[in-house]
Amino acid sequence: MLSKTSKLGCLSWSLQAFETCPGSVSDGVVVDACKFCYARTGLYNMPDVKSLRARNKDDWQADDWVSRMIDKLSKQTHFRWFDSGDMYSLSLAEKILEVMRATPHVKHWLPTRMHKFEKFKPVLFDMMQLDNVCVRLSSDSVTGEVLPVEVPNSTIVPMAGAGIGYECIAYKQGGKCLDCRACWDKSIKTIAYPYHGRSLAKVIKIVKAA
């Protein structure tokens, strides 16, 4: 049901990347940030990892899912929704809101591209009103373009030291968050993630050449 990635150091709940990410496509084209998604490579392709996400896609529709999630989070302080995938269903989003409301002792971080869809805006707004929740809207850019919004958001920058928002320091810490909790901090408007890996470098080169 839940997973714990070595980078985060906290529990998360996820779905299979891309197939549950309607916001990864705009006008029929995969957006730059999703063209070489980290959650579709490496360990994310291991059968046990994929099977967990497949089970989660069925499991959240169970009548007792909300109560079970609340129980799982009873002793947690920080939680991340979707280290892969997104809340592709409005019903799922509404259930997640229920969990957030029932666990005020937990700091929830939810990165998402579902802000692109009008029907999700009311539930996203309700999530944003909760003191223990940081909904962080994801930019489609890999070159540091920041969404024109006044709420927490994130973008990918082509290199460290780009001077955009609060720069993620995981690359200085062996790719781990350790004790950093900036992504959960609603007072930090923009988190900038320096790119990593050859595949994303290729995307940036293509985008700049376009």
Side-chain angles (χ1 to χ4, degrees):
M1 188 176 188
L2 303 180
S3 54
K4 186 173 183 178
T5 64
S6 59
K7 176 184 179 181
L8 290 172
C10 73
L11 295 176
S12 60
W13 187 89
S14 303
L15 297 171
Q16 190 63 26
F18 200 67
E19 68 182 56
T20 61
C21 302
S24 66
V25 177
S26 290
D27 298 324
V29 178
V30 178
V31 302
D32 293 335
C34 300
K35 285 178 178 173
F36 290 91
C37 174
Y38 71 89
R40 300 175 70 192
T41 62
L43 292 177
Y44 284 90
N45 280 325
M46 296 293 289
D48 57 337
V49 176
K50 294 179 74 171
S51 65
L52 171 63
R53 282 150 177 72
R55 288 198 303 272
N56 281 346
K57 190 176 181 183
D58 290 330
D59 188 44
W60 75 260
Q61 299 176 64
D63 291 339
D64 65 342
W65 183 80
V66 170
S67 62
R68 285 189 285 115
M69 283 295 296
I70 293 169
D71 182 64
K72 291 283 188 181
L73 298 181
S74 63
K75 296 182 180 180
Q76 305 303 311
T77 59
H78 291 77
F79 187 73
R80 174 175 175 171
W81 294 94
F82 304 107
D83 65 82
S84 67
D86 206 339
M87 50 182 187
Y88 67 102
S89 163
L90 184 58
S91 295
L92 171 59
E94 290 168 343
K95 284 191 173 185
I96 290 174
L97 176 59
E98 287 186 60
V99 175
M100 291 171 167
R101 283 174 169 160
T103 54
H105 62 286
V106 179
K107 292 288 186 182
H108 295 264
W109 162 32
L110 191 153
T112 185
R113 286 190 169 79
M114 300 312 292
H115 58 89
K116 297 179 178 183
F117 304 98
E118 195 66 32
K119 69 178 182 179
F120 282 85
K121 291 182 179 180
V123 69
L124 288 173
F125 177 83
D126 288 344
M127 289 177 176
M128 291 175 185
Q129 306 316 300
L130 300 176
D131 291 339
N132 63 317
V133 176
C134 182
V135 176
R136 200 166 282 284
L137 308 186
S138 302
S139 167
D140 292 337
S141 175
V142 295
T143 57
E145 182 179 343
V146 176
L147 291 170
V149 294
E150 295 302 319
V151 297
N153 60 82
S154 66
T155 189
I156 297 171
V157 291
M159 64 185 71
I164 297 171
Y166 177 93
E167 185 176 278
C168 172
I169 60 174
Y171 74 95
K172 299 178 181 179
Q173 303 180 152
K176 301 181 185 298
C177 298
L178 298 183
D179 61 352
C180 178
R181 290 294 179 260
C183 291
W184 284 264
D185 189 341
K186 297 172 72 161
S187 70
I188 299 176
K189 182 180 174 182
T190 301
I191 301 285
Y193 301 108
Y195 87 84
H196 55 86
R198 295 179 181 177
S199 57
L200 188 52
K202 291 179 181 179
V203 175
I204 291 172
K205 184 176 181 180
I206 293 170
V207 171
K208 287 185 174 181

